[in-house]
Amino acid sequence: MPRILAHKASLRAVLAAALTALATTAAPPAAIAAAPTSPGPWPGTITLAVDATDLDRQIQRVTQTLPVPGPGPLTLHYPRFLPGTHGPYGDVAQLAGLQISAGERRIEWRRDTLDPYAFLIDVPAGVRELTLRYEHLAPQNSSQGRPTMTRQILGVQWNQTLLYPTRVPAAAVRVQAQVKLPEGWQAATALRDAQGRVAQADGQGWVRFAPVSVETLVDSPLFAGRHAKRVELDPPGTPRPVALNLLADEPGLLDASDAQLEAHRRLVQQSDRLFGARHWRQYDFLLAQSKHFGGIGLEHHESSENGVRPGYFKDWDKAIAARELLPHEYVHSWNGKFRRPADLLTPHYNVPMQNSLLWVYEGMTQYWGHVLTARSGLATPEQSRDALAYVAAYLDARAGRTWRNLQDTTNEGTIRSSRDKAWRDWQRSVDYYDEATLIWLDADTLIREKSGGAKSLDDFAKAFFGVPTGFRPDGSIAPLPYTFDEVVAALNAVQPHDWAGFLRQRLDSHGPGAPLDGLARGGWTLGWSSTESPFAKNAPSRDGKPRPADFRWSLGLMVTHEGKLEQVAWDSPAFKAGLAPGLTLLAVNLQAYTSERLAQAIDANRDGRAPIQLLLKEDDLYRLVTIDWRGGQRFPVLQRADGQPDRLSAIYSAR
């Protein structure tokens, strides 16, 4: 998330900052907005009313009143560079019907031709307030974007319903928001009413919130639903409490056992012991289970924003992959929201952000989310090791590491490239999540080794993220930025070492092979099994479809249940046979394709006597290829390393 930090007083300084951001992020000129010209505050409080009752057409109707400082030119922006997305993912095309008035007088607007997210207005003399009316057109289906309105659940991301001034920082503009819900629906959000309580709908369905800054509003999404339940995760009277807000397509999906809820309570407890301080007024997990409401995992300072497929509780003993989601987003409240990379700390949402430290922001968060999942009992140590084995295996085979280093992958958000790439292991994607997990495991085990077990990365977490909180006059939390040098200094305070060299070597090198030293120092090595682990077998599907059959570590293929080649690993046996993603696999050894038949064919050629014949279709063409792979089926597994202490199990142990 590229950021311009300094406020510029002169035109030359503003242009220099814009050109620097342009060179750093490769953002087009339209993405560059000037930093605020004043530290604020904005004169008066904006009111924002969102009517979200039109479930038939999935339209959110917005009425906004905007105090203005006086006559003259005024620019309003639609948020573009969104926190947590690491790039320009706001979509102004979802705003429609914009009309602006002052009393009975219509005020014309025009769009900035260089920045389509900027709306230019000439405020007439004598006008102190403008009224804006428009619609947010929620996606009708996944081809248009993430669905956010269904018959059972809706989500309001305030950045999608807001036009705001950028003359002052977003933290200096006040907004009083309200939302109208369908009859009988319950809302969940980190926002509170004027008395500081969980807000409830009035007789007309309106839920009204206390005024907050634009920064806090955008960082406080709302879920609402027909079937909802709120579970307090802290004992009554706990300062800065934590709650789990559940929404679902059907009421039965909300049912959780005492043991399941206790695991979530332990997540809160274990996080307290890790970080040592809470940097919020209250924290609300927002978790929706739905076939139709779009899946999401997005962090916020005082809430999560999570959507998963149905079965989070019902399938508890079958699939554990989704259970690392809440720990990950929760850790972000400390790492990413309170403590934030300095180049991500922009004054508003139309200044580009820079992502140079995403391997800390996301990578360390991924590491602690994985660890806290085990420490809380959301997953067993065995399940956590299985998950780590798959991470290690796919990154160790990541062919793209030979040309593209990990540091460069932090530019993915500003490149705004597709996360579903044709040759994803060669092109690379957001590898700063999982590869940095291995780097932080390396750092953790190294600290434990060098200190004789007296210190660990836990000590870094408490010192770095548990520092005193800075409250603003309005009660919100001021983010505390960090730099690469500050990360290095904090590591050295825990355990002296060449941490700058340690990190740069892992960030800037070209492999091949993933950074697996931490795994070995942790007492485990990457090995192979001829059978899939329960973790992999029970992995959740995407969009309700059966998950692809996994032959990545034998032939180099991922094949959907329809026979479509979803992935072909670069330089794998399948790649060398001329296969590419998108082909359809029709037959294995002249029998109609099934994943079972392909698995049997792979195992049957261990002695080389039965090379695997595949019949494939490409448009109107058919191809018959032969692959002489003799290694049988292979699936990653962690195996104990002889002579090394089991530091990984110690890392997973509850505090």
Side-chain angles (χ1 to χ4, degrees), residues 1-2 24-28 81 85-89 353 355 403-404 407-418 421 427-429:
M1 298 181 179
T24 304
T25 66
F81 292 89
T85 67
H86 313 310
Y89 289 94
M353 302 173 289
N355 295 333
W403 73 272
R404 189 179 184 194
Q407 183 65 65
D408 187 64
T409 69
T410 64
N411 293 305
E412 282 292 306
T414 47
I415 293 171
R416 202 179 180 184
S417 56
S418 169
K421 299 178 178 179
Q427 295 168 279
R428 306 198 75 176
S429 184

Side-chain angles (χ1 to χ4, degrees), residues 79 84 147 204 231 254 350 365 407 418 529 566 590 607-608 629 648:
Q204 286 73 48
V231 179
L254 303 176
N350 294 77
T365 296
Q407 183 65 65
S418 169
S529 170
E566 185 181 81
L590 300 183
D607 60 4
W629 165 258
L648 183 60

Side-chain angles (χ1 to χ4, degrees), residues 366-385:
Q366 188 85 335
Y367 177 70
W368 286 127
H370 175 75
V371 169
L372 287 169
T373 301
R375 289 184 184 178
S376 64
L378 285 165
T380 66
E382 294 78 14
Q383 290 168 330
S384 295
R385 285 197 299 269

